[in-house]
Amino acid sequence: MSLLPTDSITLTRSELRRWRSSDLASLVRNANNRAVWINLRDRFPFPYTAREGREWIRLTAAEAPLHNFAIVVDGEAVGGIGVEPQPDVHRRSVEIGYWLGEPYWGRGIMTEAVSAVTTYAIESLNMCRVFACVFESNPASARVLEKAGFDREGRLRRSVLKAGRMLDQLMYAYVVDDD
């Protein structure tokens, strides 16, 4: 699955593609939800306004190679998934992050998207490690990673402060041995 920056990934339940300016209304509608925000880092704003949406679309518009994808269901951008390359000696690793609008939870959309973007990171970006940290209060996200073939590597005790609560994070990784 070698992709050019303008390509998309067609899946059974969704399509993954570059964010577009026409996604703004659906981005804000699906992202502006406390139930979504509570499971994400604080750099994902709440409330999520059109200003934040326009800035996100602007930031991702010129990515090459593509690192951030809109998750599109029935023509509407209902979530996002992306990888963040790591610096220095960690340069063959990416952190994967994702979110999905609440009406779309529990449909297998995210497991399929995580699997596809993991494959993309390995095959197209030449990574050997894709990892994620999920809040202990989000068992659904941990299940997504497990179903996508990630292994739980550990628990980072009291490592995040979210909405006034100290939480543990669970660290997961998908590792390819290419030696």
Side-chain angles (χ1 to χ4, degrees):
M1 170 192 340
S2 185
L3 297 176
L4 299 172
T6 55
D7 285 344
S8 65
I9 303 171
T10 301
L11 304 172
T12 304
R13 296 171 178 86
S14 67
E15 175 189 8
L16 308 179
R17 62 155 169 78
R18 182 179 300 278
W19 286 96
R20 302 173 182 160
S21 58
S22 59
D23 294 328
L24 181 61
S26 59
L27 168 59
V28 173
R29 184 172 49 259
N30 285 286
N32 189 32
N33 181 328
R34 190 175 193 286
V36 170
W37 170 83
I38 199 70
N39 294 309
L40 301 172
R41 292 183 180 163
D42 286 344
R43 69 183 180 189
F44 189 96
F46 183 76
Y48 199 104
T49 66
R51 188 177 117 242
E52 281 88 18
R54 278 191 297 276
E55 180 62 15
W56 175 251
I57 291 169
R58 185 192 68 75
L59 283 172
T60 62
E63 284 183 342
L66 190 57
H67 289 146
N68 293 284
F69 297 86
I71 300 172
V72 179
V73 175
D74 297 327
E76 182 177 346
V78 300
I81 186 166
V83 292
E84 186 173 320
Q86 301 299 292
D88 198 32
V89 297
H90 305 283
R91 63 186 162 271
R92 298 265 332 269
S93 296
V94 290
E95 182 174 16
I96 192 167
Y98 46 86
W99 67 272
L100 191 63
E102 189 173 10
Y104 300 90
W105 293 358
R107 297 187 189 181
I109 294 167
M110 193 54 74
T111 299
E112 190 177 51
V114 167
S115 294
V117 172
T118 298
T119 299
Y120 169 77
I122 292 164
E123 294 181 3
S124 297
L125 303 178
N126 194 32
M127 296 295 147
C128 65
R129 177 182 173 81
V130 180
F131 72 93
C133 291
V134 299
F135 302 160
E136 67 179 327
S137 57
N138 189 2
S141 188
R143 282 193 307 276
V144 162
L145 292 167
E146 290 165 357
K147 288 191 281 183
F150 283 63
D151 293 316
R152 183 169 152 187
E153 294 187 326
R155 176 181 292 267
L156 305 170
R157 295 179 55 226
R158 296 180 54 83
S159 58
V160 296
L161 174 64
K162 182 66 179 186
R165 294 179 49 213
M166 289 301 303
L167 299 171
D168 291 359
Q169 289 183 96
L170 305 176
M171 179 174 258
Y172 284 85
Y174 187 100
V175 179
V176 174
D177 293 322
D178 62 355
D179 295 336

